[in-house]
Amino acid sequence: MPTSTYRLQVHGGFGFDAAAAQAAYIASLGVSHLYLSPILQPAPGSTHGYDVVSHDALNTEAGGREAFDRLVAAAHEHGLGIVVDVVPNHMTVPGTTHLNAPLWSLLRDGRGSEAASWFDVDWDVDGDRVLMPVLGSSLDEVLAAGELSVAHDGGADGTETVLRYYDHEYPVRPGTEDLGLADLVAAQAYRLTHWRDGAADLNYRRFFDVTTLTAVRVEDPAVFDATHALLLSLFRDGAIDGFRIDHPDGLADPGGYLARLADETGDAWVVAEKILEGEEQLPSSWRCAGTTGYDTLLRVQQVLTAGAGDDVLDRLWAEHAPGRESLDDVVLEAKQLVVASVQAAEVNRLLRLVHRCHPGLHPELAREALAALLVSMDRYRAYVVPGAPVDPEQRAVLEDAAGRARGLLRAAAHPDLDLVVSLALGEAPVAADRALVDDFVVRFQQTCGPVMAKGIEDTAFYRWFRMTGANEVGGHPSHLSISADSFHEFAARQAATWPSTMTTLTTHDTKRSEDVRARLMTLAESASEWEEWVRDASELAAAQHDPLLDDATEYLIWQTALGAWPISPDRIEGYLLKAVREAKDHTAWVDGNADYEAAVVRFARAVVSDPAVVTHVETWLSLHGASVRSNVLAQKLLQLVTVGVPDVYQGAELQALTLVDPDNRGAVDYAARVERLARLDAGERARDLDDEKLLVTATALRLRRAHPGWFVGDGASYAGVAVTSEHALALARGDENGPQVVAVITREADQLAASGGWGSAHAVLPAGEWRNLLSENDSETFSGSVPLAGLLVDLPVALLVRTP
């Protein structure tokens, strides 16, 4: 079992050999396992690896199998294990489709293909054909323009007859080669159509709304075997030690998948990328170690964020976005948009199933009921398995959603809604085909996740900016703060239920890195000052303000500049174009508003280059430097010592001031990190906040690796430690012999300073003598009731260990 992981993004620009070159440094941090992004063969040029084209080979652009073997050898030489990211839910649909051999077989041979069971196709809706929405105009126009052609040098071996459309290549069904072009095209097992047709008519399941990522039916044992053979072989050979499972909620039966994986690996350490909403719990039946850590990320941020500024932040947001004060209203509107358009193809498929199970329903009333239920789900899915009894908790999830749906429908009773809810629970009408009901059960659950993700994280969170640092995956931006007691209750629950779960602060999917969020916490802590600052900022930039630029987006720009400073014009342009397109308010990825986008970009590029604005931003960061420092170090230490296995995202052992991908996938300067760590290990004092964060990270990780029983697994204990200041939080970790480690962190450093400092505040340490590993005088011991002013001399955090 890992004591910690270090995430590396592997691709052609940073391959397996490059990762091997950093093994010594990563091991010296105290890390126990490398945690690699997907290693299987992705589409050419992929920088993330989630677009798998082959499960039979490792990423050739990253060096292939030989380079991976060298990485394994280097990792093992330095005592590191390896955890890999697994993508069971989908493969990519590359333009040159022969790169995806199962898909090529499906497109060539159709429903009779040996690979037909791999993919989730609704064959009945399009005459036994797979819809391929890739054309730039109608098929007739493409044929008339001569843009489609037949060639005989295609496929993997260069000998197959193929259809070519610019860079796209598709197989030709055997026996149709001699037909005229129009007849040949019509005779294929796929239907080429305009790219817009995919929005509503697509008949294969995909990943969210990404038409180029086709879902894989890993619930089929043969498909599981084929897609996992190489990874499991590497596991059995000792090259891989654990797995991170990407988007399990997209699978037909997440619990069944995890059980099959556990059977194959003997219950290896596996974590699932499950987004938990509110107080939702991971199903206790899942055979895994826990989640990938967004639940912990949320609580770490909340316990460090002040709640006193809510009223000011509410007022400021209302001024910038009148009519959008309520996050709940924004979420509802966004989810309704997603159901009506973004996920229209998936909703249409569900409706076809509803009508097959209940012939004669009014089409619009049935659609209305289904849409209302999807919108009303308050989590990524319920877990109902066809043929199995419905767990009472999961039944309650659907029934609660039905209650909210009735409110949307303005009807205490809605017959069509009752029928849809019954289908979602697997309760079939007497005359219904059981297979169709089971199909609906699964597909409804698989559609809930995309509605949540696209509606909340990828739409609402780009529309509602009360404090953007809280707009995070699995986050609750309307609930900024929790008490220390609430954090301790959460951690104690984790220790009792998922003691080896992963924890995280930054991932490839976070909207902002941990240290950007640490800076933005100061807005809540010093809300009145922020109100004055942002008004002054708007006055400074008034000359650059275009009438097309809305106040809400300007408010986002100021928060982005503060959080990610220094930020170049190119970086803020790239981020904002993504942000305003995801919001789908004034522009979008499809049919965007070029004039609006230009106005946003002009303003943003101008203000981050304006000397007066630069001074204004840097003044805020300077005045609130104590809180920024405290937040950066407190977040990191709290993540590293709380319950679970902490992951450090590549480079985030120093300050990581990055935004949403692709900004967060940039190159890491490892030489600089090696030099910094060497200086600190030689006894040199920390020079800056980067040094301090590195010191905290390495000290905690090394302690975890030396004493895993204090931190990970069923034997590790957790308890809150009493402190007499609201500006501090303390906790103890240990084993059956009692507490062995105490961490003390500072909260709301600006407010602490304003109130006169620590005064007589103290922490009540467990019995025994303790020394602070983060102190320059680490031989000094403490016991009993210890003044915080004496404990937090060098840093705003302390990491104490019991002396022998």
Side-chain angles (χ1 to χ4, degrees):
M1 185 183 298
T3 59
S4 62
T5 61
Y6 189 99
R7 170 77 174 200
L8 290 173
Q9 295 292 120
V10 176
H11 48 78
F14 186 87
F16 299 130
D17 284 326
Q22 304 308 327
Y25 162 70
I26 294 170
S28 72
L29 281 174
V31 170
S32 73
H33 285 65
L34 298 180
Y35 162 31
L36 306 179
S37 60
I39 62 174
L40 297 178
Q41 183 63 53
S46 174
T47 59
H48 52 79
Y50 293 95
D51 47 357
V52 175
V53 295
S54 174
H55 296 90
D56 299 327
L58 301 185
N59 188 337
T60 54
E61 292 182 5
R65 178 61 185 267
E66 291 183 358
F68 180 76
D69 288 344
R70 291 192 291 271
L71 169 57
V72 172
H76 289 179
E77 178 186 352
H78 296 287
L80 294 169
I82 292 179
V83 173
V84 300
D85 203 337
V86 182
V87 189
N89 181 68
H90 55 267
M91 298 178 73
T92 196
V93 182
T96 307
T97 49
H98 74 255
L99 294 173
N100 183 332
L103 179 64
W104 183 263
S105 172
L106 179 79
L107 296 178
R108 184 188 60 215
D109 300 323
R111 203 167 189 168
S113 164
E114 293 181 354
S117 64
W118 279 59
F119 303 104
D120 200 348
V121 180
D122 187 354
W123 293 102
D124 296 333
V125 73
D126 211 338
D128 272 6
R129 294 185 297 176
V130 181
L131 191 77
M132 297 300 290
V134 296
L135 304 180
S137 52
S138 72
L139 178 59
D140 288 342
E141 291 170 324
V142 166
L143 287 170
E147 295 171 331
L148 264 175
S149 61
V150 177
H152 303 286
D153 59 352
D157 59 4
T159 63
E160 288 196 54
T161 301
V162 297
L163 270 172
R164 288 207 175 109
Y165 174 71
Y166 294 98
D167 294 334
H168 295 265
E169 180 179 282
Y170 300 96
V172 168
R173 187 198 294 268
T176 66
E177 299 92 334
D178 297 330
L179 296 174
L181 182 58
D183 290 337
L184 182 148
V185 171
Q188 301 312 307
Y190 50 89
R191 181 165 71 88
L192 299 177
T193 186
H194 193 279
W195 62 269
R196 288 183 182 273
D197 294 342
D201 299 336
L202 197 73
N203 65 336
Y204 61 84
R205 189 167 60 86
R206 55 188 170 166
F207 173 73
F208 290 3
D209 62 338
V210 186
T211 303
T212 55
L213 293 177
T214 179
V216 174
R217 296 185 63 255
V218 75
E219 64 270 22
D220 184 315
V223 177
F224 179 99
D225 290 342
T227 55
H228 289 68
L230 177 55
L231 293 175
L232 290 174
S233 173
L234 291 169
F235 173 81
R236 291 172 184 132
D237 290 343
I240 291 174
D241 303 283
F243 302 96
R244 178 260 193 193
I245 307 304
D246 182 65
H247 186 47
D249 277 343
L251 305 179
D253 179 9
Y257 168 83
L258 291 168
R260 174 71 188 276
L261 188 62
D263 287 343
E264 295 286 346
T265 64
D267 289 295
W269 188 75
V270 172
V271 289
E273 187 206 16
K274 167 61 185 169
I275 311 302
L276 298 169
E277 295 292 330
E279 297 304 312
E280 179 186 5
Q281 300 292 299
L282 202 63
S284 59
S285 60
W286 280 17
R287 288 174 63 186
C288 64
T291 75
T292 53
Y294 289 111
D295 44 349
T296 297
L297 182 158
L298 170 63
R299 273 73 176 195
V300 168
Q301 174 155 333
Q302 287 176 321
V303 80
L304 296 177
T305 300
D310 282 3
D311 290 345
V312 177
L313 294 176
D314 285 344
R315 182 173 66 248
L316 260 178
W317 176 239
E319 291 175 4
H320 285 88
R324 277 202 169 164
E325 292 86 353
S326 167
L327 177 58
D328 288 343
D329 290 347
V330 172
V331 166
L332 175 61
E333 180 185 16
K335 290 175 74 174
Q336 287 173 329
L337 170 68
V338 166
V339 168
S341 59
V342 178
Q343 295 296 128
E346 287 71 22
V347 174
N348 287 342
R349 188 167 181 179
L350 284 172
L351 275 170
R352 290 194 293 272
L353 285 169
V354 170
H355 288 296
R356 289 171 186 167
C357 293
H358 290 283
L361 291 181
H362 188 284
E364 289 308 312
L365 291 178
R367 180 180 292 275
E368 182 183 73
L370 175 60
L373 186 62
L374 285 167
V375 165
S376 298
M377 287 290 291
D378 64 350
R379 55 191 63 191
Y380 269 63
R381 65 181 283 172
Y383 298 97
V384 179
V385 178
V390 180
D391 180 271
E393 182 178 345
Q394 302 306 317
R395 179 180 292 275
V397 168
L398 284 162
E399 290 178 346
D400 289 348
R404 289 186 289 274
R406 290 187 183 94
L408 294 178
L409 296 168
R410 301 175 186 269
H414 192 292
D416 293 51
L417 176 63
D418 295 339
L419 292 176
V420 171
V421 173
S422 293
L423 285 177
L425 289 166
E427 296 168 351
V430 175
D433 183 329
R434 184 72 240 179
L436 291 176
V437 175
D438 291 348
D439 202 16
F440 184 88
V441 168
V442 171
R443 294 193 192 293
F444 177 81
Q445 295 176 73
Q446 289 174 317
T447 306
C448 290
V451 171
M452 287 289 289
K454 300 305 296 183
I456 298 178
E457 294 162 16
D458 291 343
T459 303
F461 284 5
Y462 285 99
R463 292 179 170 183
W464 199 83
F465 312 130
R466 183 178 71 151
M467 194 191 85
T468 60
N471 292 19
E472 199 45 84
V473 180
H476 295 275
S478 59
H479 188 191
L480 293 180
S481 184
I482 61 172
S483 67
D485 286 344
S486 294
F487 181 86
H488 293 320
E489 289 169 6
F490 167 76
R493 188 180 70 198
Q494 293 289 85
T497 54
W498 303 98
S500 303
T501 188
M502 179 180 273
T503 71
T504 191
L505 291 180
T506 301
T507 77
H508 60 286
D509 280 333
T510 44
K511 307 300 184 185
R512 293 160 188 83
S513 65
E514 59 204 69
D515 300 311
V516 170
R517 299 196 306 272
R519 287 182 173 185
L520 292 173
M521 290 176 193
T522 63
L523 277 56
E525 183 181 2
S526 303
S528 295
E529 293 92 328
W530 164 244
E531 183 176 30
E532 181 179 350
W533 186 96
V534 78
R535 286 177 177 154
D536 290 343
S538 293
E539 289 180 9
L540 287 173
Q544 284 87 23
H545 195 285
D546 189 296
L548 288 176
L549 175 63
D550 56 298
D551 290 344
T553 300
E554 180 184 338
Y555 197 51
L556 170 64
I557 290 170
W558 294 126
Q559 294 185 59
T560 303
L562 269 184
W565 195 262
I567 186 167
S568 69
D570 287 347
R571 279 185 66 210
I572 200 166
E573 174 179 340
Y575 168 74
L576 286 169
L577 285 176
K578 179 169 185 170
V580 297
R581 290 169 181 170
E582 293 283 13
K584 308 170 195 68
D585 259 336
H586 306 281
T587 187
W589 291 105
V590 178
D591 299 326
N593 184 331
D595 291 339
Y596 173 78
E597 291 182 1
V600 171
V601 167
R602 278 195 304 271
F603 179 81
R605 293 183 71 96
V607 298
V608 299
S609 304
D610 185 324
V613 172
V614 169
T615 299
H616 194 50
V617 171
E618 292 179 346
T619 297
W620 176 276
L621 294 175
S622 176
L623 290 174
H624 299 277
S627 266
V628 171
R629 178 186 183 225
S630 172
N631 293 342
V632 166
L633 300 181
Q635 271 194 127
K636 197 74 240 172
L637 183 58
L638 192 51
Q639 182 221 354
L640 294 174
V641 298
T642 195
V643 175
V645 176
D647 175 58
V648 177
Y649 187 73
Q650 58 178 29
E653 63 271 28
L654 306 188
Q655 286 185 94
L657 297 170
T658 55
L659 301 168
V660 72
D661 70 291
D663 192 61
N664 60 19
R665 286 203 280 260
V668 176
D669 185 349
Y670 283 108
R673 286 161 171 76
V674 169
E675 186 273 332
R676 281 180 182 269
L677 186 58
R679 283 195 289 102
L680 294 173
D681 283 344
E684 184 175 314
R685 295 184 63 174
R687 299 176 182 176
D688 55 21
L689 183 52
D690 281 333
D691 275 1
E692 291 176 343
K693 188 178 183 189
L694 180 59
L695 174 65
V696 168
T697 302
T699 302
L701 289 177
R702 290 168 178 176
L703 183 64
R704 294 182 65 91
R705 188 172 62 187
H707 301 282
W710 297 351
F711 296 98
V712 180
D714 293 333
S717 63
Y718 178 98
V721 171
V723 292
T724 61
S725 170
E726 64 180 351
H727 297 297
L729 178 148
L731 61 92
R733 304 301 313 276
D735 55 20
E736 67 276 5
N737 296 314
Q740 305 295 332
V741 179
V742 171
V744 183
I745 66 168
T746 303
R747 303 195 298 164
E748 304 168 24
D750 281 351
Q751 298 305 313
L752 171 66
S755 63
W758 292 116
S760 61
H762 56 274
V764 183
L765 301 180
E769 297 287 322
W770 302 83
R771 61 188 183 91
N772 183 6
L773 298 182
L774 297 175
S775 172
E776 291 179 27
N777 181 13
D778 62 1
S779 62
E780 181 182 9
T781 60
F782 302 89
S783 62
S785 181
V786 179
L788 293 174
L791 189 60
L792 303 174
V793 174
D794 302 313
L795 295 174
V797 295
L799 182 61
L800 302 143
V801 294
R802 183 188 297 279
T803 60

